[in-house]
Amino acid sequence: MSEQKLSGEVFYPSKEVIEKANAKCRHLYESAEKDFLGFWETEANELHWFKKWDNVLDDSKKPLYKWFTKGMTNIAYNCLDVHLNNARRNKLAFIWEGERGEFRSYSYFALHRETNKFANVLRSLGVKKGDRVTIYMGRVPELAIAMLACARIGAIHSVVYGGFSVEALHERLEDSQSKVLIVADGAYQRGKIVELKKIADEALQRAATVESVLVVKRTGHEIVMQPGRDMWYHELMHLPIAHSDDSVEKMDAEDPLFLLYTSGTTGKPKAIMHTHGGYMVGTYTTLKYVFDIHEQDRYWCAADPGWITGHSYIVYGPLLNGATSFMYEGAPTHPYPNRWWQMIEKYGINILYTAPTAIRGLMKFGEAWPNRHNLSSLRLLGSVGEPINPEAWRWYHKVIGNEKCPIMDTWWQTETGSFMITPLPCTPLKPGSGTKPFPGIKADVVNEEGKSVKPNEEGYLVIKTPWPSMLRTIWNDPERYVKQYWNRFPGMYMTGDSAKKDEDGYFWIIGRVDDVIKVSGYRLGTAEIESALVSHPSVAEAAAIGLPHEIKGNAIYAYVILRTGYEKSEKLIEELRLHVGHEVGPIAKPEKIEIVESLPKTRSGKIMRRVLKAKALGQDPGNLSTLEE
Ligand code: WT7
């Protein structure tokens, strides 16, 4: 690949990087091209199965694809137990640093022990295969332990990001009908305590199915424990019951592993469902090849386990690969903007995977902060969540990577489970492009009719072949799954993104084509923000849009029509911002709220957000023929 002449700004990987790489580039693409089922099967064979599959792929009921049919496995067994009989037994699985500087680490042996104990605790509370368990915590090791313990006993975890608030948590508890909630008393963020338990108590007043609440002590500040419902994690872990058993539930490859809620075009967040078998094969394979995990590496994915990036690339992918994964609790700039660089030096991190918004946020403080630290341990860098602007890419490459670390710009989604469009370490890079589909993945850019567009023409990004870690359904709404992802272009998975493909076949993601806003890489729906606003007594109607923002990528702007009897004031606007923060979470707080008399609508009453956006940007709103007035 490297001898090919490419157009534009291109960075070729060094010989050292190519030679070291697990992925022998051309070979990998070619073998997957020839036989993509064979490619995935070879990867699956590297993992442990209690019983092997009948078929790699069952596509008899498209788009209800099944992978590794009749195979029996357990992802948690592959994350932990398989490492106990070799040199990895004493290897560090997790290294953790708290925002206030505390330090903890877990060997594979210890992580297995803690997970097994907690699995027994869950069993003793009556949690069975198929039951849903919601997890709501900051970035602490117990979050990973709770996820793995659920997987071990076949319960389905639903992690709710610790930055979400009352209504967001309530909705997710209710929709998943969770039996147990695992929560931390609080979390540290920028030196302050986020009152997770208090938020949970409020959400629980609205949610009826939760029988037990297990509380991890993180901050130790005063909280209210409700007798009969609330129990301390550390107390339960000391009971003899925690040592009662060390069995693992044998799971069908297609059994659900987790639900993860994400925002879509309309209404409530939807629960994306992933499975034990295919998801395991996808996360294992992609991390191994893209981030080129080697035995002695220390790998850091700085995302939050509450989002898919953390599920796949803090918890499951690294553990499946027997890697040492670093986890940091707090904010990148606390107490100073060198916090991350300090930890890279201190722990000798080899691979750093983060989001463009974090890079831009750190870039703002200048080169002096990273330059004060020895970052020479870094070998590979990664980016995810939104398109990375070339300026941030070059800074990351030069200042953090010392011009020797390739940047893996990985395009994927909650729905895809693992990387879809991404370079391998041996791929020539173009700043701002995720380069090419991962081996075994077929992506394309198509027009309204579903036909491939010409090079450099904008169109819809689609995936043309199934892949093991694909979502299987939307929990509670299987019809929406088919409608939303597969009906627009028959036979193709519709990503919701627009993109271009250049003359070298490199993909350039432009952004969402639906009503999803990416704020600091977080995925939010305009509908969630609008319904939070409308739930305030003063608001009759609301519309939310995303406008470009230097650090966050996009910022939320909201337009609100007041109910009669309410007066426009700065105080009310601030109250509305706080209300959205309280209901959805601080990340959803609009940057600006404008009180207006009317909103542009179609004749059928749909808000025309593109008109609001064009107006805010001083652009031509385009075709207005459907506008009501
Ligand atoms: C959306 C999915 C999957 C990890 C975190 C996001 C955008 C994601 C990239 C990238 C350009 C990207 C897309 C996608 N996105 N990665 N490397 N370049 N855009 O998961 O919250 O499900 O969001 O994030 O718009 O559709 P998510």
Side-chain angles (χ1 to χ4, degrees):
M1 226 168 132
S2 51
E3 64 267 25
Q4 185 190 341
K5 182 86 189 84
L6 299 168
S7 64
E9 183 182 9
V10 185
F11 289 80
Y12 292 91
S14 69
K15 246 211 183 91
E16 293 78 22
V17 168
I18 296 178
E19 269 161 20
K20 185 161 171 119
N22 284 322
K24 299 300 165 224
C25 258
R26 184 178 299 135
H27 166 76
L28 209 61
Y29 287 108
E30 277 171 8
S31 78
E33 178 75 31
K34 239 183 265 150
D35 174 13
F36 89 107
L37 294 179
F39 169 76
W40 291 117
E41 182 162 35
T42 305
E43 297 299 329
N45 270 318
E46 292 183 5
L47 296 156
H48 181 87
W49 297 78
F50 301 116
K51 179 182 161 285
K52 286 281 167 85
W53 48 90
D54 292 350
N55 288 306
V56 177
L57 172 66
D58 172 0
D59 58 2
S60 60
K61 293 197 187 73
K62 288 176 199 166
L64 309 179
Y65 296 98
K66 287 184 180 162
W67 284 85
F68 308 106
T69 54
K70 299 268 158 54
M72 300 294 282
T73 188
N74 184 305
I75 194 170
Y77 186 89
N78 275 288
C79 285
L80 299 170
D81 302 57
V82 298
H83 306 310
L84 297 186
N85 291 323
N86 59 43
R88 287 183 185 148
R89 184 170 186 260
N90 299 321
K91 181 176 172 177
L92 295 184
F94 280 122
I95 303 172
W96 175 84
E97 186 168 310
E99 195 182 72
R100 307 195 317 164
E102 310 96 306
F103 164 87
R104 270 199 264 162
S105 64
Y106 291 83
S107 64
Y108 273 90
F109 177 83
L111 192 64
H112 173 268
R113 180 194 61 223
E114 295 304 301
T115 298
N116 196 43
K117 276 161 60 185
F118 194 54
N120 284 322
V121 166
L122 291 173
R123 279 194 191 105
S124 75
L125 292 166
V127 179
K128 291 184 300 294
K129 181 175 168 181
D131 286 344
R132 273 81 60 211
V133 173
T134 294
I135 304 173
Y136 181 57
M137 280 190 237
R139 276 190 292 264
V140 288
E142 287 84 354
L143 174 45
I145 292 169
M147 289 165 69
L148 292 160
C150 287
R152 193 171 179 85
I153 65 171
I156 304 171
H157 60 72
S158 163
V159 180
V160 177
Y161 169 55
F164 277 133
S165 199
V166 179
E167 183 51 27
L169 176 59
H170 158 243
E171 238 169 30
R172 287 157 175 78
L173 285 168
E174 186 107 335
D175 185 75
S176 62
Q177 303 268 297
S178 286
K179 202 168 178 173
V180 173
L181 170 66
I182 307 163
V183 63
D185 53 354
Y188 288 110
Q189 185 69 321
R190 289 177 213 283
K192 294 206 190 77
I193 290 177
V194 184
E195 294 271 0
L196 294 174
K197 173 65 164 64
K198 207 169 144 203
I199 294 169
D201 284 337
E202 203 178 326
L204 285 165
Q205 285 173 8
R206 309 183 195 174
T209 57
V210 176
E211 295 165 11
S212 317
V213 177
L214 311 185
V215 188
V216 172
K217 191 176 257 179
R218 167 65 189 117
T219 56
H221 74 297
E222 186 117 21
I223 55 162
V224 180
M225 295 288 278
Q226 182 177 307
R229 186 196 71 182
D230 301 354
M231 285 158 272
W232 285 107
Y233 173 94
H234 62 272
E235 286 178 2
L236 295 168
M237 291 289 266
H238 274 111
L239 297 177
I241 188 88
H243 301 272
S244 55
D245 193 347
D246 68 0
S247 64
V248 176
E249 194 73 33
K250 293 192 168 77
M251 305 297 286
D252 186 283
E254 284 292 309
D255 276 336
L257 168 64
F258 66 82
L259 307 179
L260 189 56
Y261 286 82
T262 191
S263 301
T265 303
T266 48
K268 285 205 280 185
K270 51 194 177 182
I272 302 302
M273 191 192 99
H274 284 289
T275 59
H276 270 256
Y279 176 81
M280 172 173 83
V281 175
T283 51
Y284 166 75
T285 309
T286 48
L287 186 66
K288 178 177 65 172
Y289 290 131
V290 175
F291 281 118
D292 201 33
I293 298 290
H294 291 270
E295 212 53 73
Q296 65 282 14
D297 282 336
R298 291 181 159 200
Y299 155 88
W300 179 12
C301 167
D304 194 285
W307 299 85
I308 192 69
T309 311
H311 279 56
S312 301
Y313 298 111
I314 295 178
V315 181
Y316 290 115
L319 298 175
L320 289 167
N321 278 283
T324 296
S325 198
F326 176 67
M327 193 197 277
Y328 166 59
E329 179 185 44
T333 50
H334 190 84
Y336 299 108
N338 67 335
R339 184 62 184 264
W340 273 20
W341 319 129
Q342 204 175 36
M343 291 188 297
I344 288 174
E345 178 170 5
K346 177 175 172 191
Y347 297 107
I349 303 294
N350 307 102
I351 300 155
L352 173 67
Y353 184 31
T354 184
T357 184
I359 299 162
R360 289 191 297 261
L362 288 160
M363 198 171 129
K364 185 177 82 180
F365 294 101
E367 293 184 21
W369 291 99
N371 284 349
R372 218 174 280 157
H373 296 276
N374 179 358
L375 306 181
S376 63
S377 57
L378 289 172
R379 188 178 87 244
L380 278 172
L381 300 173
S383 172
V384 65
E386 51 175 326
I388 179 164
N389 46 314
E391 197 195 353
W393 195 100
R394 286 183 211 114
W395 189 85
Y396 196 26
H397 187 254
K398 177 166 169 275
V399 180
I400 306 308
N402 194 21
E403 294 182 339
K404 72 176 173 68
C405 306
I407 299 176
M408 303 294 107
D409 180 356
T410 61
W411 178 92
W412 57 298
Q413 308 177 298
T414 307
E415 291 88 340
T416 70
S418 59
F419 306 149
M420 301 300 279
I421 298 176
T422 173
L424 298 175
C426 44
T427 309
L429 304 172
K430 300 188 187 187
S433 167
T435 75
K436 301 200 167 193
F438 186 78
I441 306 290
K442 278 207 171 55
D444 200 2
V445 180
V446 301
N447 63 16
E448 296 286 341
E449 284 80 52
K451 300 247 159 52
S452 301
V453 299
K454 291 200 208 85
N456 296 314
E457 233 171 71
E458 189 174 337
Y460 298 98
L461 179 66
V462 296
I463 311 291
K464 289 183 157 172
T465 41
W467 63 100
S469 65
M470 61 199 296
L471 78 163
R472 296 301 193 271
T473 191
I474 295 174
W475 187 257
N476 286 337
D477 206 349
E479 277 161 31
R480 186 168 168 200
Y481 164 69
V482 177
K483 220 172 105 197
Q484 177 126 18
Y485 299 105
W486 299 95
N487 276 6
R488 178 70 175 80
F489 303 113
M492 298 180 209
Y493 168 84
M494 156 102 170
T495 65
D497 279 10
S498 61
K500 287 180 192 172
K501 208 161 97 170
D502 70 14
E503 51 283 359
D504 299 318
Y506 275 44
F507 285 77
W508 299 78
I509 308 297
I510 296 163
R512 299 289 306 189
V513 287
D514 52 11
D515 292 321
V516 167
I517 312 179
K518 285 255 140 180
V519 184
S520 302
Y522 296 121
R523 178 165 160 183
L524 293 166
T526 51
E528 289 153 84
I529 301 155
E530 290 160 6
S531 70
L533 283 166
V534 175
S535 75
H536 191 275
S538 69
V539 178
E541 273 187 87
I545 57 167
L547 292 179
H549 184 280
E550 210 184 321
I551 307 277
K552 298 178 182 175
N554 293 289
I556 302 163
Y557 279 65
Y559 299 84
V560 160
I561 303 178
L562 294 181
R563 284 179 192 278
T564 38
Y566 286 90
E567 289 285 329
K568 179 175 171 169
S569 73
E570 281 308 313
K571 194 166 152 260
L572 179 59
I573 288 176
E574 190 47 30
E575 191 181 316
L576 292 176
R577 288 187 69 240
L578 292 177
H579 179 72
V580 177
H582 180 262
E583 292 296 303
V584 188
I587 47 164
K589 270 196 220 160
E591 196 81 2
K592 200 172 155 216
I593 298 179
E594 204 174 308
I595 295 184
V596 293
E597 297 294 323
S598 67
L599 289 166
K601 285 187 188 158
T602 61
R603 277 178 213 102
S604 58
K606 270 172 104 180
I607 296 171
M608 295 177 81
R609 294 189 188 81
R610 72 172 168 87
V611 175
L612 286 170
K613 200 164 166 173
K615 194 165 162 256
L617 294 172
Q619 292 169 349
D620 173 17
N623 183 354
L624 291 179
S625 60
T626 56
L627 190 69
E628 184 194 32
E629 54 186 74

